[in-house]
Amino acid sequence: AMRVPLFDPDRILNATIPLFRPIFTVWGFLVWLGLLVSALVLATLHYAALTHDVVTQAVAAQNLMLLALVYPAVKLLHEMGHAYATKVWGGDVHEFGLMFLIFVPLPYVDASASAAFREKWRRAIVGGAGIMVELTLAAIAMIVWVNAEAGLVRALALNVMLIGGVSTLVFNGNPLLRFDGYYIFQDLIEIPNLGARANRYFFYVVQRYLFGAHTVESPATHPGERRWLLGYSVLAGFYRVGVTLGIAVFVATAFFFVGVAIGVWVLCSAFVFPLAKGLAYLAFTEAWERFSYYRSEEHT
């Protein structure tokens, strides 16, 4: 994503932090938890009505326009969650701007000052603050949806639930994708750069035990990291494929050829291309070993 800084929000945050400080307490957490439980009970009681024809509603042209308006507003509150969580423990937030994710403008704040917090649970709360904000919005939207009549308000509530609830749990809050949940998880287990190292370790295992390359070095610096790295790499790979195929099926219900194209691309990216690269690597390795062998024979 390309980032465009707009202004320094630190003075505004300093002036308004007293309003939000009570949220970052045990009592604030209990109130938040109670709100989520209440919304979950309502969602269970109204599950049939909530999920009835939801796919058709979500991809309808009118709803896509509504979604385009709701999404940036939810993400703005998400980013303010990161900002206030950073400020409550003394960190500075000096950058607010827009990032263009696949040409879609979304707000962001630079909460990197939280990396200097000594307590990892504080860093985890800063990382998870945006997720907690979105789940709060989804819970409030659930209550509004139950009490509202069919119309614009109910449609808005449904979109907030899709973004703040479903999307947050499937994407942003899941540690198997490199969003907020991923950074929280790697901080808690204390394995930095988890995703990149896990992928390197997976290819190390493939080269070492499948292709017999004995000269490759393992990226694992401690024996206890091996299971984490291999397990994360495999689970994250399958999860990404599963989620993207799920999106392809979802899109195909309204735009068949687009969904099929996404599905074909995912299968090729996940299986066909890596298999072709592996076979090419194997052929190159074998050819190089034969070349080295013949050179050594000629020299002898």
Side-chain angles (χ1 to χ4, degrees):
M2 182 180 68
R3 293 190 171 193
V4 180
L6 295 179
F7 65 91
D8 184 343
D10 208 56
R11 291 180 62 184
I12 298 173
L13 296 172
N14 284 332
T16 54
I17 190 62
L19 299 174
F20 298 95
R21 197 177 295 277
I23 296 174
F24 298 93
T25 62
V26 174
W27 293 109
F29 175 76
L30 291 176
V31 171
W32 174 79
L33 197 60
L35 179 63
L36 257 61
V37 171
S38 301
L40 188 60
V41 170
L42 288 175
T44 303
L45 293 174
H46 297 84
Y47 179 79
L50 188 63
T51 57
H52 176 68
D53 205 24
V54 67
V55 174
T56 304
Q57 294 180 57
V59 298
Q62 272 186 322
N63 193 71
L64 291 176
M65 294 176 63
L66 201 59
L67 193 65
L69 297 175
V70 172
Y71 192 78
V74 171
K75 292 304 172 184
L76 173 61
L77 296 176
H78 171 113
E79 293 300 314
M80 296 312 294
H82 291 308
Y84 281 112
T86 304
K87 292 300 299 180
V88 79
W89 287 302
D92 292 331
V93 180
H94 289 298
E95 188 176 303
F96 176 91
L98 292 176
M99 63 177 177
F100 292 86
L101 187 63
I102 319 177
F103 306 108
V104 178
L106 296 173
Y108 79 90
V109 297
D110 182 2
S112 58
S114 63
F117 294 163
R118 295 182 62 183
E119 299 86 350
K120 66 180 179 181
W121 65 268
R122 288 186 175 182
R123 298 195 299 269
I125 290 175
V126 173
I131 298 171
M132 296 177 75
V133 168
E134 291 199 25
L135 290 176
T136 302
L137 294 173
I140 295 171
M142 181 70 242
I143 297 171
V144 172
W145 185 88
V146 168
N147 293 281
E149 298 292 335
L152 180 60
V153 173
R154 209 174 200 202
L156 283 170
L158 178 63
N159 282 291
V160 172
M161 282 189 283
L162 288 174
I163 297 169
V166 178
S167 176
T168 295
L169 294 176
V170 174
F171 296 101
N172 198 42
N174 196 298
L176 298 176
L177 297 175
R178 294 190 196 182
F179 299 114
D180 289 345
Y182 162 78
Y183 294 104
I184 297 169
F185 180 68
Q186 74 166 2
D187 204 15
L188 291 177
I189 65 173
E190 299 181 343
I191 300 181
N193 203 18
L194 174 63
R197 292 180 63 207
N199 289 336
R200 289 202 302 271
Y201 187 76
F202 176 81
F203 286 111
Y204 158 77
V205 171
V206 171
Q207 293 176 35
R208 175 69 175 80
Y209 297 102
L210 185 60
F211 294 154
H214 299 284
T215 57
V216 293
E217 295 184 5
S218 170
T221 57
H222 188 275
E225 290 183 341
R226 296 172 185 171
R227 292 181 180 178
W228 282 110
L229 295 177
L230 184 60
Y232 184 85
S233 177
V234 173
L235 290 175
F238 277 110
Y239 187 78
R240 284 194 298 269
V241 172
V243 166
T244 315
L245 285 177
I247 293 173
V249 172
F250 184 85
V251 172
T253 59
F255 311 102
F256 178 75
F257 291 107
V258 176
V260 170
I262 294 173
V264 170
W265 173 254
V266 171
L267 292 175
C268 289
S269 300
F271 302 107
V272 178
F273 297 156
L275 180 61
K277 288 181 180 179
L279 293 174
Y281 175 85
L282 184 60
F284 174 80
T285 303
E286 185 177 352
W288 176 256
E289 288 180 351
R290 287 182 178 180
F291 174 76
S292 301
Y293 173 77
Y294 288 131
R295 286 293 301 272
S296 62
E297 285 292 311
E298 290 175 2
H299 180 74
T300 303

Coordinates of all heavy atoms in Angstrom, one line a residue, residues 67-141:
L67 N -21.5 0.0 1.0 CA -20.3 -0.6 1.6 C -19.1 0.3 1.4 O -18.2 0.4 2.3 CB -20.0 -2.0 1.0 CG -19.0 -2.9 1.7 CD1 -19.5 -3.3 3.1 CD2 -18.8 -4.1 0.8
A68 N -19.0 0.9 0.2 CA -17.8 1.8 -0.1 C -17.8 3.0 0.8 O -16.8 3.6 1.1 CB -17.9 2.2 -1.5
L69 N -19.0 3.4 1.3 CA -19.1 4.6 2.2 C -18.8 4.2 3.7 O -18.2 4.9 4.4 CB -20.5 5.2 2.1 CG -20.8 5.8 0.8 CD1 -22.3 6.3 0.8 CD2 -19.9 7.0 0.4
V70 N -19.3 3.0 4.0 CA -19.2 2.5 5.4 C -17.7 2.1 5.7 O -17.2 2.4 6.8 CB -20.2 1.4 5.7 CG1 -19.9 0.7 7.1 CG2 -21.6 1.8 5.6
Y71 N -17.1 1.4 4.8 CA -15.8 0.8 5.0 C -14.7 1.8 5.5 O -14.1 1.6 6.5 CB -15.3 0.1 3.8 CG -14.1 -0.8 4.0 CD1 -14.2 -2.0 4.6 CD2 -12.8 -0.4 3.6 CE1 -13.2 -2.9 4.8 CE2 -11.7 -1.2 3.8 CZ -11.9 -2.4 4.4 OH -10.8 -3.2 4.6
P72 N -14.5 3.0 4.8 CA -13.5 3.9 5.3 C -13.9 4.5 6.7 O -13.0 4.8 7.5 CB -13.6 5.1 4.3 CG -14.2 4.4 3.1 CD -15.1 3.4 3.6
A73 N -15.2 4.7 7.0 CA -15.6 5.2 8.3 C -15.2 4.2 9.4 O -14.7 4.6 10.5 CB -17.1 5.5 8.3
V74 N -15.5 2.9 9.2 CA -15.1 1.9 10.2 C -13.6 1.8 10.3 O -13.1 1.7 11.5 CB -15.7 0.5 9.7 CG1 -15.1 -0.6 10.6 CG2 -17.2 0.5 9.7
K75 N -12.9 1.9 9.2 CA -11.4 1.9 9.3 C -10.8 3.1 10.0 O -9.8 3.0 10.6 CB -10.8 1.7 7.9 CG -11.1 0.3 7.3 CD -10.7 -0.8 8.2 CE -11.1 -2.2 7.7 NZ -10.8 -3.3 8.7
L76 N -11.5 4.2 9.9 CA -11.0 5.4 10.6 C -11.1 5.2 12.1 O -10.2 5.5 12.8 CB -11.9 6.6 10.2 CG -11.6 7.9 11.0 CD1 -10.2 8.4 10.8 CD2 -12.6 9.0 10.5
L77 N -12.2 4.7 12.6 CA -12.4 4.4 14.0 C -11.4 3.3 14.4 O -10.9 3.3 15.5 CB -13.8 4.0 14.3 CG -14.9 5.1 14.0 CD1 -16.3 4.5 14.3 CD2 -14.6 6.3 14.9
H78 N -11.2 2.3 13.5 CA -10.2 1.3 13.8 C -8.8 1.9 14.1 O -8.1 1.6 15.1 CB -10.1 0.4 12.6 CG -9.0 -0.6 12.6 ND1 -9.2 -2.0 12.7 CD2 -7.7 -0.5 12.5 CE1 -8.1 -2.6 12.7 NE2 -7.1 -1.7 12.6
E79 N -8.4 2.8 13.2 CA -7.1 3.5 13.4 C -7.0 4.3 14.6 O -6.0 4.4 15.3 CB -6.8 4.3 12.1 CG -6.5 3.5 10.9 CD -5.4 2.5 11.0 OE1 -4.3 2.9 11.5 OE2 -5.5 1.3 10.7
M80 N -8.1 5.0 15.0 CA -8.1 5.8 16.2 C -8.0 4.9 17.4 O -7.5 5.4 18.4 CB -9.4 6.6 16.2 CG -9.6 7.6 15.1 SD -8.1 8.7 14.9 CE -8.1 9.6 16.4
G81 N -8.5 3.7 17.3 CA -8.3 2.7 18.4 C -6.8 2.5 18.6 O -6.3 2.5 19.8
H82 N -6.0 2.3 17.6 CA -4.6 2.1 17.7 C -3.9 3.4 18.3 O -3.1 3.3 19.1 CB -4.0 1.9 16.3 CG -4.3 0.6 15.7 ND1 -4.1 -0.6 16.4 CD2 -4.7 0.2 14.5 CE1 -4.4 -1.6 15.6 NE2 -4.8 -1.2 14.4
A83 N -4.4 4.5 17.8 CA -3.8 5.8 18.3 C -4.0 6.0 19.8 O -3.1 6.3 20.5 CB -4.4 7.0 17.4
Y84 N -5.3 5.9 20.2 CA -5.5 6.1 21.6 C -4.9 5.1 22.5 O -4.5 5.4 23.7 CB -7.0 6.2 21.9 CG -7.6 7.5 21.5 CD1 -8.5 7.6 20.4 CD2 -7.3 8.7 22.2 CE1 -9.0 8.8 20.0 CE2 -7.8 9.9 21.8 CZ -8.7 10.0 20.7 OH -9.2 11.2 20.3
A85 N -4.8 3.8 22.1 CA -4.1 2.8 22.8 C -2.7 3.1 23.0 O -2.0 2.8 24.0 CB -4.3 1.4 22.2
T86 N -2.1 3.7 22.0 CA -0.7 4.1 22.1 C -0.5 5.3 23.0 O 0.4 5.3 23.9 CB -0.1 4.5 20.7 OG1 -0.3 3.4 19.7 CG2 1.3 4.9 20.7
K87 N -1.4 6.3 23.0 CA -1.3 7.4 23.8 C -1.5 7.1 25.3 O -0.9 7.8 26.1 CB -2.3 8.5 23.3 CG -2.1 9.1 22.0 CD -0.7 9.8 21.9 CE -0.7 11.0 22.9 NZ 0.7 11.7 22.9
V88 N -2.4 6.2 25.6 CA -2.8 5.9 27.0 C -1.6 5.5 27.8 O -1.6 5.7 29.0 CB -3.9 4.9 27.1 CG1 -3.5 3.5 26.9 CG2 -4.7 5.1 28.4
W89 N -0.6 4.9 27.1 CA 0.6 4.5 27.9 C 1.9 5.3 27.5 O 3.0 4.9 27.6 CB 0.9 3.0 27.6 CG -0.1 2.1 28.3 CD1 -0.3 2.1 29.7 CD2 -1.0 1.2 27.7 NE1 -1.3 1.2 30.0 CE2 -1.7 0.6 28.8 CE3 -1.3 0.8 26.4 CZ2 -2.7 -0.4 28.6 CZ3 -2.2 -0.2 26.2 CH2 -2.9 -0.7 27.3
G90 N 1.6 6.5 27.0 CA 2.7 7.5 26.9 C 3.4 7.5 25.5 O 4.3 8.2 25.3
G91 N 2.9 6.8 24.5 CA 3.5 6.8 23.2 C 3.0 8.0 22.4 O 2.0 8.6 22.7
D92 N 3.8 8.4 21.4 CA 3.5 9.5 20.6 C 3.0 9.0 19.2 O 3.4 8.0 18.7 CB 4.7 10.4 20.3 CG 5.1 11.2 21.6 OD1 4.2 11.4 22.4 OD2 6.3 11.5 21.7
V93 N 2.0 9.7 18.7 CA 1.4 9.4 17.3 C 1.5 10.6 16.5 O 0.7 11.6 16.7 CB 0.0 8.9 17.4 CG1 -0.5 8.6 16.1 CG2 -0.1 7.7 18.4
H94 N 2.5 10.7 15.6 CA 2.8 11.9 14.9 C 2.4 11.9 13.4 O 2.8 12.8 12.7 CB 4.3 12.2 15.0 CG 4.7 12.7 16.3 ND1 4.2 13.8 16.9 CD2 5.6 12.1 17.2 CE1 4.8 14.0 18.1 NE2 5.6 13.0 18.3
E95 N 1.7 10.8 13.0 CA 1.3 10.8 11.6 C 0.0 10.2 11.4 O -0.3 9.1 11.8 CB 2.4 9.9 10.8 CG 2.2 9.9 9.3 CD 3.4 9.2 8.6 OE1 4.5 9.5 8.9 OE2 3.0 8.2 7.9
F96 N -0.9 10.9 10.7 CA -2.2 10.5 10.2 C -2.2 10.7 8.7 O -1.8 11.8 8.2 CB -3.3 11.2 10.9 CG -4.7 10.8 10.4 CD1 -5.4 9.8 11.0 CD2 -5.2 11.5 9.3 CE1 -6.6 9.4 10.5 CE2 -6.5 11.1 8.8 CZ -7.2 10.1 9.4
G97 N -2.7 9.7 8.0 CA -2.8 9.9 6.5 C -3.7 8.9 5.8 O -4.5 8.3 6.5
L98 N -3.5 8.8 4.6 CA -4.2 7.9 3.7 C -3.3 6.9 3.1 O -2.2 7.3 2.6 CB -5.0 8.6 2.6 CG -6.2 9.5 3.1 CD1 -6.8 10.2 1.9 CD2 -7.3 8.7 3.8
M99 N -3.7 5.6 3.1 CA -2.9 4.6 2.3 C -3.9 4.1 1.2 O -5.1 4.0 1.4 CB -2.5 3.5 3.2 CG -3.5 2.7 3.8 SD -2.8 1.3 4.8 CE -4.3 0.6 5.5
F100 N -3.3 3.9 0.1 CA -4.1 3.4 -1.1 C -3.8 1.9 -1.3 O -2.8 1.5 -1.8 CB -3.7 4.2 -2.3 CG -4.1 5.6 -2.3 CD1 -3.3 6.6 -1.6 CD2 -5.3 6.0 -2.8 CE1 -3.7 7.9 -1.5 CE2 -5.7 7.4 -2.7 CZ -4.9 8.3 -2.0
L101 N -4.8 1.2 -0.8 CA -4.8 -0.3 -0.9 C -5.5 -0.8 -2.1 O -6.8 -0.7 -2.1 CB -5.3 -0.9 0.4 CG -5.2 -2.4 0.6 CD1 -3.8 -2.8 0.6 CD2 -6.0 -2.9 1.8
I102 N -4.8 -1.2 -3.2 CA -5.4 -1.5 -4.5 C -6.3 -0.3 -4.9 O -7.4 -0.5 -5.3 CB -6.3 -2.8 -4.4 CG1 -5.6 -3.9 -3.6 CG2 -6.5 -3.4 -5.8 CD1 -6.4 -5.1 -3.4
F103 N -5.7 0.9 -4.8 CA -6.3 2.1 -5.3 C -7.5 2.6 -4.4 O -8.1 3.6 -4.8 CB -6.7 2.1 -6.8 CG -5.6 1.6 -7.7 CD1 -5.6 0.4 -8.3 CD2 -4.5 2.5 -7.9 CE1 -4.6 0.0 -9.1 CE2 -3.5 2.1 -8.8 CZ -3.5 0.8 -9.4
V104 N -7.7 1.9 -3.3 CA -8.8 2.3 -2.4 C -8.2 3.1 -1.3 O -7.4 2.6 -0.5 CB -9.6 1.1 -1.8 CG1 -10.7 1.6 -0.9 CG2 -10.2 0.3 -3.0
P105 N -8.6 4.4 -1.1 CA -8.1 5.2 0.0 C -8.6 4.8 1.4 O -9.8 4.8 1.6 CB -8.5 6.7 -0.4 CG -9.7 6.5 -1.2 CD -9.6 5.2 -1.9
L106 N -7.7 4.6 2.3 CA -8.1 4.2 3.6 C -7.2 5.0 4.6 O -6.0 5.2 4.4 CB -7.9 2.7 3.9 CG -8.7 1.7 3.0 CD1 -8.3 0.3 3.2 CD2 -10.2 1.9 3.4
P107 N -7.8 5.4 5.8 CA -7.0 6.1 6.8 C -6.0 5.2 7.5 O -6.3 4.0 7.6 CB -8.1 6.7 7.7 CG -9.2 5.7 7.6 CD -9.2 5.2 6.2
Y108 N -5.0 5.8 8.0 CA -4.0 5.1 8.8 C -3.4 6.0 9.8 O -3.4 7.3 9.6 CB -2.9 4.4 8.0 CG -1.8 5.4 7.5 CD1 -0.7 5.6 8.3 CD2 -2.0 6.1 6.3 CE1 0.3 6.4 7.9 CE2 -1.0 7.0 5.9 CZ 0.2 7.1 6.7 OH 1.1 8.0 6.3
V109 N -2.9 5.5 10.9 CA -2.0 6.3 11.9 C -0.7 5.5 12.1 O -0.7 4.3 12.0 CB -2.8 6.5 13.2 CG1 -4.0 7.3 13.1 CG2 -3.1 5.2 13.9
D110 N 0.3 6.2 12.4 CA 1.6 5.6 12.7 C 1.7 5.4 14.2 O 2.0 6.3 15.0 CB 2.7 6.5 12.2 CG 4.1 5.8 12.5 OD1 4.1 4.7 13.0 OD2 5.1 6.5 12.2
A111 N 1.4 4.1 14.6 CA 1.4 3.8 16.1 C 2.7 3.0 16.4 O 2.7 2.2 17.4 CB 0.2 3.0 16.4
S112 N 3.7 3.2 15.6 CA 5.0 2.4 15.8 C 5.7 2.7 17.1 O 6.5 2.0 17.5 CB 5.9 2.7 14.6 OG 6.2 4.0 14.5
A113 N 5.3 3.8 17.8 CA 5.9 4.1 19.1 C 5.6 3.1 20.1 O 6.4 2.9 21.1 CB 5.4 5.5 19.6
S114 N 4.5 2.3 19.9 CA 4.2 1.2 20.8 C 5.2 0.1 20.8 O 5.3 -0.7 21.8 CB 2.8 0.6 20.5 OG 2.8 0.0 19.2
A115 N 6.1 0.0 19.8 CA 7.1 -1.0 19.8 C 8.1 -0.8 20.9 O 8.8 -1.8 21.2 CB 7.8 -1.0 18.4
A116 N 8.2 0.4 21.4 CA 9.1 0.7 22.5 C 8.6 0.3 23.9 O 9.3 0.4 24.9 CB 9.5 2.1 22.5
F117 N 7.3 -0.1 24.0 CA 6.7 -0.5 25.3 C 7.4 -1.7 25.8 O 7.5 -2.7 25.0 CB 5.2 -0.7 25.1 CG 4.4 0.5 24.8 CD1 3.1 0.4 24.3 CD2 5.0 1.8 25.0 CE1 2.4 1.5 24.0 CE2 4.2 2.9 24.7 CZ 2.9 2.8 24.2
R118 N 7.8 -1.8 27.0 CA 8.5 -2.9 27.5 C 7.6 -4.1 27.8 O 8.0 -5.2 27.6 CB 9.2 -2.5 28.9 CG 10.3 -1.5 28.7 CD 11.0 -1.2 30.0 NE 11.6 -2.4 30.6 CZ 12.2 -2.4 31.8 NH1 12.3 -1.3 32.5 NH2 12.8 -3.5 32.2
E119 N 6.4 -3.8 28.2 CA 5.4 -4.9 28.4 C 4.8 -5.4 27.1 O 4.1 -4.6 26.4 CB 4.3 -4.5 29.4 CG 4.8 -4.1 30.8 CD 5.2 -2.6 30.8 OE1 5.3 -2.0 29.7 OE2 5.5 -2.1 31.9
K120 N 4.9 -6.7 26.8 CA 4.4 -7.1 25.5 C 2.9 -7.1 25.5 O 2.2 -7.0 24.5 CB 4.9 -8.5 25.2 CG 4.5 -9.6 26.1 CD 5.1 -10.9 25.6 CE 4.8 -12.1 26.5 NZ 5.4 -13.4 26.0
W121 N 2.2 -7.2 26.7 CA 0.7 -7.2 26.7 C 0.2 -5.8 26.3 O -0.8 -5.7 25.7 CB 0.2 -7.6 28.1 CG 0.5 -6.7 29.2 CD1 1.6 -6.8 30.1 CD2 -0.2 -5.5 29.7 NE1 1.6 -5.7 31.0 CE2 0.5 -5.0 30.8 CE3 -1.4 -4.9 29.2 CZ2 0.0 -3.9 31.5 CZ3 -1.9 -3.8 29.9 CH2 -1.1 -3.3 31.0
R122 N 1.0 -4.7 26.6 CA 0.6 -3.4 26.2 C 0.8 -3.3 24.6 O -0.1 -2.7 24.0 CB 1.5 -2.3 26.8 CG 1.1 -2.1 28.3 CD 1.9 -1.0 28.9 NE 1.5 -0.7 30.3 CZ 2.0 0.2 31.1 NH1 2.9 1.1 30.6 NH2 1.5 0.4 32.3
R123 N 1.9 -3.8 24.1 CA 2.0 -3.8 22.7 C 0.9 -4.6 22.0 O 0.4 -4.3 20.9 CB 3.4 -4.5 22.3 CG 4.6 -3.7 22.8 CD 5.9 -4.1 22.2 NE 6.2 -5.5 22.4 CZ 6.9 -6.0 23.4 NH1 7.4 -5.2 24.3 NH2 7.2 -7.3 23.4
A124 N 0.5 -5.7 22.6 CA -0.6 -6.6 22.1 C -1.9 -5.8 22.1 O -2.7 -5.9 21.1 CB -0.7 -7.9 22.9
I125 N -2.2 -5.0 23.2 CA -3.4 -4.3 23.2 C -3.4 -3.2 22.2 O -4.5 -2.9 21.5 CB -3.6 -3.7 24.6 CG1 -3.9 -4.8 25.6 CG2 -4.7 -2.6 24.6 CD1 -4.0 -4.3 27.1
V126 N -2.3 -2.5 21.9 CA -2.2 -1.5 20.9 C -2.5 -2.2 19.5 O -3.3 -1.7 18.7 CB -0.8 -0.8 20.8 CG1 -0.7 0.1 19.6 CG2 -0.6 0.0 22.1
G127 N -1.9 -3.3 19.3 CA -2.1 -4.0 18.0 C -3.6 -4.5 17.9 O -4.1 -4.5 16.8
G128 N -4.2 -4.9 19.0 CA -5.6 -5.4 19.0 C -6.6 -4.4 19.1 O -7.8 -4.7 19.0
A129 N -6.3 -3.1 19.4 CA -7.3 -2.0 19.7 C -8.2 -1.8 18.5 O -9.4 -1.6 18.7 CB -6.5 -0.7 20.1
G130 N -7.6 -1.9 17.3 CA -8.5 -1.7 16.1 C -9.5 -2.8 15.9 O -10.6 -2.6 15.6
I131 N -9.0 -4.0 16.2 CA -9.9 -5.2 16.2 C -11.0 -5.0 17.2 O -12.2 -5.3 16.9 CB -9.1 -6.5 16.4 CG1 -8.1 -6.7 15.4 CG2 -10.1 -7.7 16.5 CD1 -7.1 -7.8 15.6
M132 N -10.7 -4.6 18.4 CA -11.7 -4.4 19.5 C -12.7 -3.3 19.1 O -13.9 -3.5 19.4 CB -11.0 -4.1 20.8 CG -10.1 -5.2 21.3 SD -9.2 -4.8 22.8 CE -10.5 -4.9 24.0
V133 N -12.2 -2.3 18.4 CA -13.1 -1.2 18.0 C -14.1 -1.8 17.0 O -15.3 -1.5 17.0 CB -12.3 0.0 17.4 CG1 -13.3 0.9 16.7 CG2 -11.6 0.7 18.5
E134 N -13.6 -2.5 16.0 CA -14.5 -3.1 15.0 C -15.5 -4.0 15.5 O -16.7 -4.1 15.1 CB -13.6 -3.7 13.9 CG -12.8 -2.7 13.1 CD -12.4 -3.2 11.7 OE1 -13.0 -4.2 11.2 OE2 -11.4 -2.7 11.2
L135 N -15.1 -4.9 16.5 CA -16.0 -5.8 17.1 C -17.1 -5.0 17.9 O -18.2 -5.4 18.0 CB -15.3 -6.8 18.0 CG -14.4 -7.8 17.3 CD1 -13.6 -8.7 18.3 CD2 -15.2 -8.7 16.4
T136 N -16.7 -3.9 18.5 CA -17.6 -3.1 19.2 C -18.7 -2.5 18.3 O -19.9 -2.5 18.6 CB -16.9 -1.9 19.9 OG1 -15.9 -2.5 20.9 CG2 -17.9 -1.0 20.7
L137 N -18.2 -2.0 17.2 CA -19.1 -1.5 16.1 C -20.1 -2.5 15.6 O -21.3 -2.3 15.4 CB -18.3 -0.8 15.0 CG -17.5 0.4 15.3 CD1 -16.6 0.8 14.1 CD2 -18.4 1.5 15.7
A138 N -19.5 -3.7 15.4 CA -20.4 -4.8 14.9 C -21.4 -5.2 16.0 O -22.6 -5.5 15.6 CB -19.5 -6.1 14.6
A139 N -21.0 -5.2 17.3 CA -22.0 -5.5 18.3 C -23.1 -4.5 18.4 O -24.3 -4.8 18.5 CB -21.2 -5.6 19.7
I140 N -22.7 -3.2 18.3 CA -23.7 -2.1 18.3 C -24.6 -2.3 17.1 O -25.9 -2.1 17.2 CB -23.1 -0.8 18.4 CG1 -22.3 -0.6 19.7 CG2 -24.1 0.4 18.2 CD1 -21.4 0.6 19.8
A141 N -24.0 -2.6 16.0 CA -24.8 -2.7 14.7 C -25.8 -3.9 14.8 O -26.9 -3.8 14.3 CB -23.9 -2.9 13.5

